[in-house]
């Protein structure tokens, strides 16, 4: 299992997959640790979450550099990712007991009836490379604070991040076995899911990977939470303030070098401002700096792997062959590493890849729409349902449209983002279940009804 620097395509490190014997030891220790961990007072688990946040902040530069080396994230965005993880820790250090407190429910006179939220046990997390710290902490902090133990199967190109995360939990004072990383290949995941000691599974990744994990989990009756792909609509109404909207559009499409499930991918622009938006959007995208991700002035780094660059390039070429117009960008940069420039496509045919597939890179497809109704229809014309946003000078008008968009997260006059205080998840082929907030911490608990007769 090899990690490679995507900015240079030079090898970084080689990792040996864990043997079946090592995996058995990890599973056994997780099962044993859970019996004690679940009994720890919630205040103690909250205190450890706070300590975890302190460790993250004190080592932010080191963790960010590891991310940048392994998957090419621009260094300032990598630092921001670590800081966001620390904020998540603070949130659950403050709010977990509140979210998990017993819920009293009236039933009959003379009875005590309530719901108790109790941990499930060892939870397997299958995590992606694009946010190699945030995706893991978004699962692990609420799950562990609820009393579960966590096992991580990370993407093979960010195993240095996986090891750093495991060490982070150790440094924060978590008991051995509460959180562990398993270095295994994808074809071994189903066997781990089938193990009786695994009680639940969560995955962030592609719809294809989600189907495989859901099938294996369903066969073994394991609870799952899936956060999958997206093709988020970015709706620009006729009254939207274009100065603000264009800036937001550039960020929404090119953040993390465009490698984001909740990135805006389909820009649905009212025909009265479509031409101006396309021209300004393309010009602004051209101003982004593409280059060395370790340079703080870089806006867009490399694509994380060579095969991902090739797939993105193929999708763009097939879209252009079908009739799409390249306003800017449109082909890989002629330099070492996996660099693809910010790209804007217009005149996009309905059945080409830019319209029907998820483009996981800095490529925006712009479509004209004639009305609010047409914008909603186009927004919902996808197999995905992760996020979306609406831009307008009339917030009430935007909210009315937001309610009609089939997605797990819709923002008005703001780019789509995840926030520890709010639940996050998708519908349709973007997955199911919630992460974050009180909804997320209760996903991996047993909502147990208790009835006490007096």
């Amino acid at each position: 299992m090899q990690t490679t620097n995507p900015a240079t395509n030079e090898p970084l490190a080689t990792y040996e997959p864990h043997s079946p014997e090592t995996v058995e030891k990890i599973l056994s220790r997780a099962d044993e640790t859970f019996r004690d961990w679940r009994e720890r007072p919630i205040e103690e688990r909250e205190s450890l979450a706070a300590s975890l946040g302190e460790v993250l902040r004190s080592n932010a530069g080191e963790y960010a550099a590891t991310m940048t080396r392994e998957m090419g994230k621009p260094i300032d965005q990598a630092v921001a990712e670590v800081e966001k993880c620390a904020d998540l820790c603070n949130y659950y250090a403050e709010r977990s007991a509140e979210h998990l407190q017993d819920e009293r429910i009236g039933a009959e006179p003379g009875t005590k009836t309530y719901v108790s939220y109790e941990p499930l046990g060892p939870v397997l997390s299958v995590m992606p490379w694009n946010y190699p710290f945030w995706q893991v902490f978004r699962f692990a902090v609420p799950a562990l604070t609820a009393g579960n133990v966590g096992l991580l199967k990370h993407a093979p190109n960010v195993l240095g991040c996986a090891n750093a995360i495991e060490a982070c939990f150790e440094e924060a004072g978590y008991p051995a076995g509460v959180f562990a990383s398993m270095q295994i290949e994808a074809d071994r995941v189903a066997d781990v899911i089938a193990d009786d000691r695994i009680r639940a599974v969560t995955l962030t990744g592609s719809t294809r990977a989600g189907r495989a994990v859901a099938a294996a989990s369903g066969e073994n009756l394991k609870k799952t939470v899936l956060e999958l792909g997206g093709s988020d609509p970015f709706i620009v109404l006729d009254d939207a303030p274009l100065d603000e909207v264009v800036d937001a559009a550039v960020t929404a499409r090119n953040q993390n070098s465009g490698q984001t499930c909740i990135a805006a991918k389909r820009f649905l622009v009212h025909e009265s401002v479509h031409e101006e938006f396309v021209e300004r959007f393309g010009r602004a995208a051209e101003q982004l700096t593409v280059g060395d991700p370790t340079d703080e002035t870089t806006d867009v780094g490399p694509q994380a792997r060579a095969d991902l660059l090739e797939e993105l390039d193929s999708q763009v070429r097939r879209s252009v062959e079908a009739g799409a117009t390249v306003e800017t960008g449109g082909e890989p940069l002629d330099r070492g590493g996996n660099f693809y420039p910010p790209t804007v496509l217009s005149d996009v045919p309905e059945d080409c890849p830019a319209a029907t597939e998820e483009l996981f890179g800095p490529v925006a497809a712009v479509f004209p729409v004639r009305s609010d109704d047409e914008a909603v229809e186009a927004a919902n014309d996808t197999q995905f349902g992760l996020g979306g946003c609406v831009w307008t000078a009339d917030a009430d008008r935007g909210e009315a449209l937001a309610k009609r968009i089939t997605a797990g997260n819709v923002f008005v006059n703001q780019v789509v983002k995840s926030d520890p205080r709010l639940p996050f998840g998708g519908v349709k082929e973007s997955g199911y279940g919630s992460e974050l907030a009180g909804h997320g911490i209760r996903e991996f608990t047993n909502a147990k009804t208790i009835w006490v007769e007096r």
Side-chain angles (χ1 to χ4, degrees):
M1 302 173 78
Q2 177 101 38
T3 58
T4 302
N5 185 334
T8 63
N9 281 326
E10 296 175 352
L12 293 171
T14 300
Y15 298 84
E16 287 297 324
H18 283 157
S19 67
E21 293 76 17
T22 299
V23 171
E24 169 59 30
K25 289 179 181 178
I26 293 172
L27 289 169
S28 179
R29 186 177 65 171
D31 187 49
E32 293 172 3
T33 301
F34 171 63
R35 300 170 194 175
D36 171 70
W37 178 247
R38 67 175 299 170
E39 301 301 330
R40 300 283 185 100
I42 184 65
E43 294 81 9
E44 181 180 339
R45 298 198 296 262
E46 286 180 323
S47 179
L48 284 168
S51 297
L52 188 64
E54 293 173 1
V55 173
L56 283 163
R57 287 195 170 89
S58 65
N59 297 299
E62 174 188 341
Y63 298 149
T66 301
M67 277 189 268
T68 297
R69 282 194 302 271
E70 289 194 325
M71 57 77 55
K73 187 186 300 289
I75 189 67
D76 61 332
Q77 296 177 32
V79 171
E81 181 171 336
V82 178
E83 292 173 345
K84 186 172 182 176
C85 292
D87 290 342
L88 172 82
C89 294
N90 291 346
Y91 174 83
Y92 282 108
E94 297 169 358
R95 304 294 294 276
S96 293
E98 172 191 340
H99 293 320
L100 296 171
Q101 64 186 320
D102 292 344
E103 183 181 354
R104 293 294 296 268
I105 300 174
E108 294 181 5
T111 64
K112 180 181 181 181
T113 49
Y114 60 98
V115 173
S116 175
Y117 294 98
E118 301 180 0
L120 297 178
V123 182
L124 173 66
S125 61
V126 182
M127 291 292 133
W129 48 264
N130 60 330
Y131 285 90
F133 268 65
W134 171 246
Q135 306 284 18
V136 176
F137 280 85
R138 188 170 72 179
F139 147 73
V141 176
L144 270 57
T145 311
N148 301 289
V149 299
L151 299 174
L152 169 65
K153 188 279 177 198
H154 218 329
N157 60 325
V158 289
L159 290 179
C161 290
N163 291 340
I165 292 169
E166 186 174 23
C168 185
F169 278 92
E170 293 174 2
E171 185 176 343
Y174 282 80
V178 170
F179 181 88
S181 173
M182 289 193 298
Q183 294 174 186
I184 59 174
E185 303 90 339
D187 60 6
R188 297 170 64 191
V189 170
D191 289 339
V192 175
I193 293 173
D195 191 284
D196 288 342
R197 289 163 292 192
I198 295 294
R199 300 313 312 151
V201 186
T202 183
L203 173 138
T204 298
S206 68
T207 299
R208 177 188 54 79
R211 291 184 190 279
V213 165
S217 300
E219 183 178 353
N220 293 280
L221 295 179
K222 305 289 177 74
K223 171 70 182 289
T224 52
V225 171
L226 304 177
E227 194 262 279
L228 309 178
S231 185
D232 287 9
F234 186 108
I235 297 175
V236 182
L237 300 183
D238 52 359
D239 63 348
L242 285 189
D243 287 343
E244 174 185 347
V245 171
V246 169
D247 287 344
V250 171
T251 298
R253 177 58 280 197
N254 296 288
Q255 182 79 6
N256 204 39
S257 306
Q259 301 168 120
T260 307
C261 293
I262 56 171
K265 302 194 173 92
R266 296 176 298 132
F267 293 78
L268 311 175
V269 185
H270 192 276
E271 60 183 5
S272 65
V273 295
H274 174 267
E275 184 176 347
E276 181 180 1
F277 175 85
V278 168
E279 191 275 329
R280 293 176 64 172
F281 188 24
R283 191 168 66 241
E286 289 174 350
Q287 301 306 309
L288 296 177
T289 299
V290 183
D292 180 0
T294 66
D295 188 332
E296 293 183 356
T297 65
T298 293
D299 300 305
V300 178
Q303 302 301 283
R305 299 196 312 261
D307 63 307
L308 298 172
L309 175 68
E310 292 168 3
E311 172 61 17
L312 180 66
D313 183 42
S314 172
Q315 290 172 307
V316 171
R317 284 190 288 102
R318 286 183 284 129
S319 297
V320 172
E321 290 169 1
T325 298
V326 177
E327 300 291 340
T328 187
E331 59 184 20
L333 297 181
D334 186 16
R335 64 171 73 169
N338 308 323
F339 291 94
Y340 201 92
T343 296
V344 176
L345 303 178
S346 63
D347 305 317
V348 180
E350 293 182 357
D351 57 352
C352 75
T356 61
E357 301 174 9
E358 180 180 25
L359 272 60
F360 212 66
V363 179
V366 187
F367 305 83
V369 293
R370 292 170 292 184
S371 65
D372 292 10
D373 288 343
E374 188 173 315
V376 170
E377 181 179 359
N380 292 335
D381 186 21
T382 174
Q383 70 269 37
F384 298 109
L386 191 55
C389 56
V390 181
W391 296 83
T392 173
D394 184 342
D396 291 337
R397 181 185 179 192
E399 184 178 2
L401 264 65
K403 292 180 177 180
R404 298 169 58 193
I405 296 173
T406 306
N409 315 266
V410 184
F411 288 64
V412 178
N413 296 330
Q414 179 60 267
V415 297
V416 180
K417 57 186 177 181
S418 56
D419 185 305
R421 298 166 296 185
L422 298 169
F424 180 89
V427 295
K428 300 194 289 187
E429 292 191 12
S430 290
Y432 52 74
S434 293
E435 297 178 296
L436 304 176
H439 299 68
I441 197 172
R442 289 192 290 267
E443 282 283 7
F444 295 115
T445 62
N446 172 25
K448 180 194 290 184
T449 293
I450 297 180
W451 180 302
V452 181
E453 197 83 20
R454 298 291 184 184

